[in-house]
């Protein structure tokens, strides 16, 4: 066995290298061309850090460590192989696991040091455990909603915000008391249990359309709790990794909130869908124009430029592979086909891009919202597949609309708009969409996957007309 | 102790700034793999759990540490796996060498 001094030196060096590799890893994520190199850098850094840590002089028993590492890997492999449509719930679940790890370590550290925990350490430990616990249950709830084992509709009641914030406030107050009086060890369970409850309460009023913001926010919390754990253990690598993750989650949450024209507090305390659900009733009797797959195919086939706007409905009906066939069929006829992606389309940031990439659609055909909006005026057909609120022109024109001010994809500027939709029911937020009643809009009623499939059949059957 | 704390705060602050600058440059195209990658990197918390469980100070701390290792390791393995799987799918159009 090497000396304590030597092992500490080796560990510090592996942590230093791992830190550099982690930062490079994120830097290389800036472009798809270098991103896989980023994953390798992250893996090597992680391997080094873990291997270094195993040399730690204080470790007396490797049996359990080995068993835990093997068991974790066994659980991790299937979690790494889920279907692409299940990525949002997988991500939420992994936030829960990360938060669980942090909370458990924090709890153990507290009881090892109690009753004499120095004030600063108790403060960061309190932060670690409160953030960890609420992220744990919050992420489990989010995963449950995304997997549809829990009801997806937001559930609200009077005084909800008061109750939620009250629970969290009590937890923070208890943590402050523990900072001042760490000998009151019996108070500790409260700073775990109350945030666990808060995590559940926090997600109850959240609807599916808010999931991209909420997942990003939970990502940020998971990172910050890990950084706090780094302070407790005086581990710089952990502080840095947590800060990077916290910054990443924060940037994504800000992006998502901006893309919905809502503030953080509005997402967390707003419970979008409820009040408008009533407002939409009565508007359903207006006339819409619908079209068959055959008509849609002939319009698409005659177009020069088509922009496809996918939404969560495409993910639900797993239509991305049929969309790829449509892309192929149209491209073969010389039609310029691109995709307009709204930042909050789907259930997590970048959700649509991953699904389309899975279907082998080249990523240079995927346009961000601003680029797509510059293109719609020259677009012959905008084909909306399973998206609703992100195309709603009321966001631009109707100051009374609950989504007024939200940046949208201006599909209504295209010469013809086609919307594939199951029926005339309002979208997730329960808001009526005037786009559907426009003269240039054709409604294509049906399941996204089978409808796109029929268009493809029509296109290949009637080739050359 | 006081100096250690200050150093840690400096480290946290600088890492935060680096994080903002680096992640601002990540294309929105890759936001989903970005999240699964940061999640895997975040699971570096496993090193804390390894020391906690390995030192075997009390049965309680060993049990919590061991569960924490399982949770974090599943994030490391699953996170890197799925990030790489997603990134493999992103292709450019047109002819290119495979």
């Amino acid at each position: 066995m090497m000396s304590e001094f030597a092992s500490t030196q080796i560990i510090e060096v592996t942590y230093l290298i791992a830190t550099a590799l982690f930062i490079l890893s994120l830097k290389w994520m800036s472009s798809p061309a270098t991103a896989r190199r980023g994953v390798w850098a992250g893996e090597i850094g992680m391997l080094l850090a873990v291997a270094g840590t195993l040399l730690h002089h204080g470790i007396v028993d490797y049996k359990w460590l080995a068993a835990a590492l093997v068991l974790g890997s066994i659980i991790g492999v299937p979690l790494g192989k889920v279907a692409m449509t299940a990525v949002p719930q997988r991500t939420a679940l992994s936030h829960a696991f990360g938060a669980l790890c942090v909370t458990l370590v924090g709890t153990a550290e507290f009881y090892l040091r109690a009753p004499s925990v120095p004030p600063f350490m108790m403060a960061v430990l309190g932060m670690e455990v409160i953030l960890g616990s609420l992220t744990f249950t919050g992420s489990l709830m989010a995963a449950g909603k995304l997997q549809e084992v829990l009801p997806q509709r937001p559930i609200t009641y009077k005084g909800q915000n008061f109750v939620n914030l009250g629970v969290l406030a009590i937890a923070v107050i208890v943590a402050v008391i523990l900072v001042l009086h760490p000998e009151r060890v019996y108070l500790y369970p409260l700073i775990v249990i109350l945030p666990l409850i808060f995590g559940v309460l926090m997600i109850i009023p959240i609807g599916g359309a808010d999931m991209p913001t909420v997942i990003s926010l939970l990502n940020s919390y998971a990172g910050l709790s890990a950084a706090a754990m780094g302070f407790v253990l005086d581990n710089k690598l952990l502080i840095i990794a947590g800060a990077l993750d916290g910054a990443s989650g924060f940037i994504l949450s800000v992006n998502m909130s901006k893309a919905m024209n809502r503030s953080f507090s509005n997402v967390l305390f707003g419970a979008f869908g409820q009040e408008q659900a009533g407002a939409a009733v009565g508007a359903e009797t207006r006339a819409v124009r619908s079209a068959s797959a055959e008509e849609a195919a002939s319009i698409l086939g005659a177009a020069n430029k088509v922009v496809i706007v996918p939404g969560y409905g495409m993910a639900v009906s797993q239509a991305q592979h049929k969309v790829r066939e449509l892309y192929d069929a149209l491209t073969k006829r010389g039609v310029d086909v691109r995709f307009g992606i709204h930042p909050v389309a789907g259930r997590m940031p970048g959700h649509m891009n991953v699904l389309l990439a899975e279907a082998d659609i080249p990523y240079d055909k995927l346009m961000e919202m601003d680029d797509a909006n510059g293109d719609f005026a020259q677009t012959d057909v905008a084909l909306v597949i399973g998206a609703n609120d992100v195309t709603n022109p009321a966001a631009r024109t109707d100051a009374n609309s609950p989504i007024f001010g939200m940046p949208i994809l201006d599909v209504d500027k295209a010469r013809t708009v086609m919307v594939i939709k199951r029926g005339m029911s309002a979208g997730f937020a329960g808001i009526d969409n005037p786009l559907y009643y426009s003269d240039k809009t054709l409604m294509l009623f049906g399941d996204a996957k089978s409808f796109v499939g029929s268009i493809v059949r029509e296109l290949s059957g009637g080739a050359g007309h | 102790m006081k100096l250690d704390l200050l150093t840690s705060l400096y480290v946290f602050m600088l890492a935060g700034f680096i994080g903002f600058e680096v992640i601002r440059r990540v294309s929105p195209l890759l936001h989903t793999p970005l999240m699964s990658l940061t999640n895997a990197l975040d699971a570096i918390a496993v090193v804390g759990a390894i020391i906690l469980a390995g030192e075997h100070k009390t049965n309680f701390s060993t049990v919590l540490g061991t569960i924490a290792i399982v949770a974090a390791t599943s994030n490391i393995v699953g996170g890197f796996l799925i990030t790489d799987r997603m990134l493999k799918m992103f292709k450019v159009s047109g002819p290119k060498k495979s």
Side-chain angles (χ1 to χ4, degrees):
Chain A
M1 209 67 207
M2 73 183 81
S3 72
E4 184 178 326
F5 180 74
S7 78
T8 309
Q9 296 292 307
I10 292 174
I11 293 173
E12 287 303 324
V13 171
T14 61
Y15 284 9
L16 186 66
I17 300 171
T19 300
L21 287 169
F22 282 7
I23 293 170
L24 283 172
S25 171
L26 291 174
K27 183 178 142 59
W28 281 328
M29 282 298 281
S30 59
S31 135
T34 53
R36 289 190 68 196
R37 198 194 305 164
V39 177
W40 297 328
E43 285 169 348
I44 296 168
M46 184 68 70
L47 210 61
L48 272 175
V50 171
T53 306
L54 289 173
L55 297 176
H56 193 274
H57 59 88
I59 297 178
V60 291
D61 185 2
Y62 282 91
K63 238 182 8 265
W64 288 104
L65 295 188
L69 286 167
V70 171
L71 183 60
S73 307
I74 292 173
I75 298 173
V77 170
L79 281 175
K81 297 196 162 167
V82 298
M84 285 301 145
T85 39
V87 163
Q89 46 269 49
R90 193 218 81 93
T91 306
L93 199 61
S94 65
H95 292 155
F97 282 173
L100 175 68
C101 168
V102 165
T103 309
L104 291 176
V105 173
T107 301
E109 293 288 337
F110 175 81
Y111 284 107
L112 285 177
R113 292 160 209 260
S116 53
V117 190
F120 174 76
M121 179 167 292
M122 189 57 230
V124 279
L125 208 150
M127 217 164 86
E128 170 188 350
V129 170
I130 289 176
L131 279 173
S133 310
L134 72 87
T135 305
F136 177 61
T137 46
S139 299
L140 282 183
M141 287 287 293
K145 283 198 171 196
L146 288 163
Q147 185 68 35
E148 296 180 21
V149 290
L150 295 172
Q152 284 203 296
R153 279 265 160 200
I155 299 164
T156 51
Y157 52 87
K158 245 196 163 65
Q160 189 166 30
N161 293 338
F162 182 75
V163 173
N164 292 4
L165 287 180
V167 171
L168 187 62
I170 296 172
V172 173
I173 291 167
V174 173
V176 172
I177 296 174
L178 274 169
V179 171
L180 302 174
H181 304 283
E183 73 280 1
R184 297 187 186 171
V185 179
Y186 59 90
L187 283 176
Y188 179 82
L190 283 177
I191 65 169
V192 177
I193 294 166
L194 290 173
L196 284 177
I197 297 171
F198 174 78
V200 176
L201 295 176
M202 175 174 77
I203 303 300
I204 284 178
I206 299 288
D210 292 324
M211 277 302 169
T213 318
V214 171
I215 287 191
S216 310
L217 209 56
L218 290 168
N219 182 17
S220 190
Y221 291 162
L224 290 178
S225 63
M229 175 173 158
F231 277 98
V232 173
L233 301 178
D234 191 24
N235 182 329
K236 307 280 190 292
L237 173 59
L238 197 41
I239 294 176
I240 292 165
L244 293 174
D245 192 26
S248 171
F250 184 72
I251 288 177
L252 291 176
S253 332
V254 170
N255 282 353
M256 295 301 114
S257 303
K258 268 192 196 148
M260 301 188 83
N261 191 34
R262 299 170 67 195
S263 63
F264 271 171
S265 55
N266 187 273
V267 171
L268 283 180
F269 307 121
F272 212 33
Q274 293 318 95
E275 63 230 82
Q276 302 86 33
V281 179
E284 313 254 325
T285 48
R286 279 196 279 165
V288 297
R289 291 200 301 153
S290 68
S292 67
E294 195 185 347
E295 293 165 287
S298 70
I299 297 171
L300 285 168
N304 289 318
K305 189 170 165 63
V306 172
V307 175
I308 299 178
V309 174
Y312 185 58
M314 184 187 79
V316 170
S317 91
Q318 307 255 19
Q320 64 271 28
H321 297 285
K322 286 289 170 205
V323 170
R324 155 79 191 192
E325 289 175 25
L326 178 64
Y327 166 83
D328 283 342
L330 289 173
T331 307
K332 214 161 59 193
R333 290 177 164 230
V335 183
D336 176 19
V337 184
R338 287 170 190 278
F339 293 80
I341 315 274
H342 195 279
V344 295
R347 288 295 178 260
M348 71 178 291
H351 192 185
M352 290 299 123
N353 300 307
V354 168
L355 292 181
L356 294 172
E358 183 198 16
D360 264 340
I361 287 164
Y363 66 78
D364 50 326
K365 299 290 178 194
L366 312 181
M367 295 187 289
E368 291 173 38
M369 179 165 59
D370 291 344
D371 299 333
N373 279 343
D375 267 23
F376 279 120
Q378 295 90 45
T379 300
D380 298 306
V381 183
L383 175 62
V384 180
I385 305 179
N388 184 353
D389 297 329
V390 298
T391 63
N392 192 339
R396 280 201 317 264
T397 54
D398 178 5
N400 294 320
S401 171
I403 57 169
F404 182 70
M406 169 175 153
I408 58 156
L409 285 158
D410 301 326
V411 292
D412 56 325
K413 303 247 165 92
R415 232 148 285 153
T416 306
V417 185
M418 295 190 207
V419 180
I420 303 184
K421 207 170 176 310
R422 285 225 192 101
M424 279 310 289
S425 62
F428 201 94
I431 305 159
D432 198 30
N433 192 340
L435 177 71
Y436 303 156
Y437 311 107
S438 157
D439 287 342
K440 56 168 125 176
T441 304
L442 288 172
M443 300 300 292
L444 313 176
F445 290 114
D447 170 68
K449 187 177 178 179
S450 57
F451 207 106
V452 174
S454 324
I455 297 179
V456 172
R457 264 194 308 281
E458 293 293 337
L459 278 171
S460 47
H465 70 87
Chain B
M1 185 64 204
K2 273 270 184 288
L3 270 179
D4 275 359
L5 160 64
L6 203 59
T7 317
S8 294
L9 283 170
Y10 271 108
V11 168
F12 178 71
M13 184 190 72
L14 292 173
F17 277 115
I18 292 174
F20 270 103
E21 286 308 311
V22 170
I23 284 151
R24 242 167 17 98
R25 290 184 173 79
V26 175
S27 153
L29 200 62
L30 297 182
H31 276 168
T32 299
L34 169 70
M35 208 185 264
S36 57
L37 179 70
T38 51
N39 207 273
L41 298 183
D42 202 34
I44 190 64
V46 76
V47 300
I50 287 175
I51 295 172
L52 180 69
E55 283 183 333
H56 198 49
K57 284 187 181 152
T58 64
N59 283 336
F60 181 66
S61 71
T62 308
V63 170
L64 294 198
T66 308
I67 302 172
I69 296 175
V70 175
T73 312
S74 71
N75 264 1
I76 296 173
V77 174
F80 281 129
L81 257 180
I82 199 152
T83 309
D84 197 51
R85 261 182 68 215
M86 284 193 265
L87 292 174
K88 243 189 281 186
M89 300 181 320
F90 282 89
K91 297 184 189 83
V92 208
S93 60
K96 55 153 191 126
K97 55 185 169 89
S98 70

